[in-house]
Amino acid sequence: MPASPPPTAPAAVPRTGAAPHTAGGGALLVVGFVLLSLNTRVAFGQIGPLAPVAGFSPATVSLLGLLPPLCMGAFAPLAAVVRRRLGEERGLWWASLVLVAGAVLRMAGLPGLFAGTVVVSAATAVVNVLIPVLVRGRFPRERTGTMMGVYALAMGAGSALVAALVVPVAQAAGSWRPAVGLAVIPAVLAAAGTAPQVRHRHRRPVAAPGAGRSGRSGRPHVARTALAWSLTAFFGVQTLAFYTTLAWLPSVLVQTAGLGRAAAGTGQALLICGVAVGGFAAPVLAARRADQRPHILGAALVCAAGLTGLLLAPAGTALAWVAVLGIGLGAGQALPGVLYAHRGTDHDHVAALSTMAQTSGFLLAATGPVLAAALHTATGAWTAPLAALVAALLVCAVAGLRAGHDPE
């Protein structure tokens, strides 16, 4: 059920176009949404499995791992400009065209790989911010959780599929460039899939009564609210844990659990599958309730359990703990989309919450792999980095509770 805004808040702007006018229009919207969702992590999941085959140096791999969260944080504010000038539908279509350009550029040798990763990350930053706004505006409230779950599931499936194909393609072609070029295919499909939505009329939100020093809507600036900072803390630490795990899980499994490199690679694939499962289930369950605090705590505790299991469990159960960790990380990545949509009072507020959380959150996440590597180097083991992640997740769960409910 939609939560009522506080008495002093302006009335929420009604959702324009929340229900497509025709069944065909609704189907096109869902198809375009899924195709675009498939692309949001495709390019970032290629480098890990491809690195040994391509002979990338550790510095190259580290930089290519650092660029996506760093650029997504830096370019997230661009989404506000895109939305204001183009609207969500046209903004997402143009972002999909930029994704195609970036995916093609990544095939142009190492300089192109770095430059193309920046371009893809910038486009993805815009997509990440606009997707929750699109879901709130174009789908009925009761379908918010399902669509955010579909977004997370498609994101994980696209990344896993392309990550599984890059090594065979690179080996067959004798070069890493065609393997990286696989990302062009889903990017082109996304551009084609979102093109029909360009016809959707963008309606600018109507200014609410009481606008003044606090802005057109009469609200305080989003950065002055406890809600925004709570969302930022939850998203930021969950994303830091996600990128740190993605970067170092195979090394953790080899050193801590005593697995071979092949088994460690299987663990990485299992993690991504868990992320897809948790990413779909968590928003579907959370959107059914007015209070998402249990889901916020649950995501953090499941992550903490998976990390603790990796620290304490013998090699025989390590992969089971990887699956648990993946489910928790997927839930933590997908829940913020529901929180933006449920806590935002109108489309502008949803966009502002999403922009702030993702700008700060991705910049924070970029430090995770580097800090984990530094702790590992200083101690010679993965115990300290994993324990630090557990502590950070528990703190973020408490800090994120404000984002899980509307104040009385």
Side-chain angles (χ1 to χ4, degrees), residues 156-176:
S159 177
L161 178 61
V162 174
L165 292 174
V166 288
V167 172
V169 170
Q171 290 174 335
S175 169
W176 57 266

Side-chain angles (χ1 to χ4, degrees), residues 306-320:
L307 291 167
T308 303
L310 287 178
L311 277 173
L312 303 179
T317 59
L319 293 182

Side-chain angles (χ1 to χ4, degrees), residues 23-39:
L28 284 174
L29 176 60
V30 172
V31 169
F33 179 82
V34 171
L35 289 173
L36 186 60
S37 301
L38 284 169
N39 281 270

Side-chain angles (χ1 to χ4, degrees), residues 257-372:
L259 300 186
R261 295 196 174 274
T266 301
Q268 188 86 332
L270 186 60
L271 177 83
I272 294 173
C273 291
V275 167
V277 171
F280 178 75
V284 170
L285 295 174
R288 296 174 181 174
R289 298 172 56 113
D291 188 341
Q292 287 81 37
R293 284 176 290 186
H295 306 88
I296 290 172
L297 285 172
L301 290 174
V302 171
C303 289
L307 291 167
T308 303
L310 287 178
L311 277 173
L312 303 179
T317 59
L319 293 182
W321 290 114
V322 167
V324 171
L325 176 58
I327 291 170
L329 290 173
Q333 289 291 287
L335 275 174
V338 174
L339 300 178
Y340 306 144
H342 277 245
R343 301 288 90 80
T345 55
D346 56 46
H347 298 150
D348 281 347
H349 195 204
V350 173
L353 291 172
S354 180
T355 299
M356 177 174 165
Q358 295 194 48
T359 299
S360 302
F362 277 120
L363 292 175
L364 175 64
T367 68
V370 177
L371 293 176

Side-chain angles (χ1 to χ4, degrees), residues 95-323:
S96 68
L97 294 181
V98 176
L99 276 172
V100 174
V104 171
L105 182 58
R106 292 176 91 238
M107 301 170 64
L110 273 180
L113 184 58
F114 287 118
T117 299
V118 172
V119 172
V120 168
S121 300
T124 304
V126 173
V127 172
N128 287 338
V129 172
L130 294 186
I131 282 288
V133 187
L134 178 78
V135 169
R136 190 184 193 278
R138 297 292 303 279
F139 294 96
R141 178 88 175 206
E142 61 271 16
R143 293 182 63 190
T144 298
T146 300
M147 296 315 299
M148 293 310 301
V150 168
Y151 171 60
L153 182 62
M155 179 172 64
S159 177
L161 178 61
V162 174
L165 292 174
V166 288
V167 172
V169 170
Q171 290 174 335
S175 169
W176 57 266
R177 297 186 189 191
V180 166
L182 285 171
V184 175
I185 299 172
V188 169
L189 291 175
T194 53
Q197 302 310 316
V198 172
R199 295 174 297 178
H200 183 79
R201 177 180 295 181
H202 171 52
R203 299 184 183 179
R204 296 182 180 273
V206 179
R213 288 180 301 172
S214 57
R216 185 173 64 180
S217 66
R219 285 186 304 267
H221 189 280
V222 69
R224 298 176 184 172
T225 63
L227 169 62
W229 284 107
S230 179
L231 269 168
T232 298
F234 179 69
F235 177 81
V237 176
Q238 284 286 340
T239 305
L240 180 147
F242 176 78
Y243 278 96
T244 302
T245 303
L246 207 61
W248 296 115
L249 179 64
S251 300
V252 171
L253 292 174
V254 169
Q255 185 173 346
T256 302
L259 300 186
R261 295 196 174 274
T266 301
Q268 188 86 332
L270 186 60
L271 177 83
I272 294 173
C273 291
V275 167
V277 171
F280 178 75
V284 170
L285 295 174
R288 296 174 181 174
R289 298 172 56 113
D291 188 341
Q292 287 81 37
R293 284 176 290 186
H295 306 88
I296 290 172
L297 285 172
L301 290 174
V302 171
C303 289
L307 291 167
T308 303
L310 287 178
L311 277 173
L312 303 179
T317 59
L319 293 182
W321 290 114
V322 167

